[in-house]
Amino acid sequence: MHQRFQEWVAAGVFRQLWTLGLLELHVEGRLDWSFQSLDGCQTKAPLGGEAVGPTPTDRGKGGVKRQLLTEAQGLPVGVAVTGANVHDVTQVEAVLTSMPVLPPPVTQACPQGFCADKGYDSRRVRALIVKYFYTDHIKSRGEEAAVCNTPGYRARRRVVGRTHSWFNRYRRLLIRWEKKVASYEALLHLACANTVWSRSLLFG
C-alpha cells in the first residue's frame, strides 16, 4: 500500500486532483478571486525529516509549518511547506508560485486584494505583492492593534484561519509523521483536493 502511495506521490496524482477541482470551479466562475488570504500554521513533526525545524514555541521540538493561500471563500489555491523555524515573510513568493490555477488578470472591474496579518508586514512582501498586481491589505503593526479593537470588525484573513482549522481535522496533517517532505505535501494536496471537490459537489 505504501509503495502504491509513493508511486502516486511521484506521479503528482494528488496535486492533479486539486488542480482539476480548481479548474472546474474556475471555468464555472465559482472561485472568488476578489481577495486572497495568506497565513501559516505550525504543527508537530516528532519523527523529524525534510523541511522540519525547531518550534520556537514548543521548547525547540521538531515542527513543520504550512503556508496556505485561499481565495475569498476559503478554498485553498496555494500551499508551501517549511520547517517551523522559517519566518513567514520568506515564503510568500513560494506560496504564490505554488498556485496550480492562476487568478484572472487584474482589472479595474476585477481587483484582487492580498490579505495577511502583521507577521507579513515587511517592505520585501509589500514589494512582492505589488509585482503580482495585488491591492495591499496587509495591516501594519499599529493598524492591526487598532482595528482588532473595533467592535464588529472581522478581518478578511479569517477565511484562511478557518481553512487551517479544516485541515487540522485530518490526523495526518495535525501531526506530521512523514519524513519525506514530498509525502507530506501530497497529503496537503489531497486535503486541498477534498476541500475543493466538496465545494464543487455540494454547490454544483
Side-chain angles (χ1 to χ4, degrees), residues 99-119:
M99 299 171 70
V101 174
L102 297 178
V106 176
T107 63
Q108 187 172 3
C110 183
Q112 295 173 38
F114 184 92
C115 305
D117 65 19
K118 61 185 179 182

Side-chain angles (χ1 to χ4, degrees), residues 2-204:
H2 180 71
Q3 180 61 36
R4 182 57 57 87
F5 171 72
Q6 290 299 321
E7 291 173 359
W8 289 351
V9 170
V13 169
F14 305 104
R15 182 178 173 85
Q16 290 175 35
L17 284 172
W18 175 31
T19 302
L20 290 172
L22 286 175
L23 280 173
E24 179 167 319
L25 292 177
H26 182 60
V27 169
E28 295 174 356
R30 292 197 284 147
L31 290 177
D32 186 347
W33 295 107
S34 58
F35 70 88
Q36 286 120 66
S37 296
L38 175 66
D39 202 6
C41 179
Q42 288 182 181
T43 58
K44 296 179 179 180
L47 299 183
E50 301 168 349
V52 171
T55 305
T57 58
D58 193 16
R59 296 172 292 176
K61 293 181 179 179
V64 65
K65 183 183 289 186
R66 62 174 182 260
Q67 296 285 344
L68 190 63
L69 182 72
T70 69
E71 47 85 88
Q73 302 168 100
L75 297 179
V77 295
V79 66
V81 176
T82 67
N85 58 328
V86 176
H87 201 288
D88 292 340
V89 298
T90 66
Q91 297 304 305
V92 175
E93 188 159 24
V95 179
L96 293 175
T97 57
S98 76
M99 299 171 70
V101 174
L102 297 178
V106 176
T107 63
Q108 187 172 3
C110 183
Q112 295 173 38
F114 184 92
C115 305
D117 65 19
K118 61 185 179 182
Y120 297 87
D121 179 19
S122 76
R123 283 181 291 182
R124 174 181 177 179
V125 173
R126 292 183 187 276
L128 182 63
I129 62 178
V130 168
K131 173 184 172 183
Y132 279 81
F133 303 105
Y134 286 110
T135 301
D136 185 352
H137 290 291
I138 300 175
K139 300 294 184 185
S140 68
R141 295 180 185 275
E143 292 173 326
E144 180 90 356
V147 297
C148 285
N149 292 323
T150 303
Y153 174 75
R154 292 181 63 84
R156 284 180 168 180
R157 67 174 187 278
R158 288 190 178 186
V159 296
V160 68
R162 182 183 60 188
T163 307
H164 275 302
S165 177
W166 292 343
F167 279 23
N168 284 339
R169 295 176 185 176
Y170 299 105
R171 288 185 295 174
R172 296 302 290 266
L173 297 184
L174 181 59
I175 298 178
R176 173 183 163 180
W177 299 106
E178 288 69 33
K179 290 190 175 183
K180 293 181 180 179
V181 68
S183 297
Y184 183 67
E185 286 176 335
L187 294 177
L188 282 172
H189 294 158
L190 180 58
C192 290
N194 186 62
T195 303
V196 169
W197 280 107
S198 295
R199 173 77 183 186
S200 178
L201 295 173
L202 283 174
F203 301 99

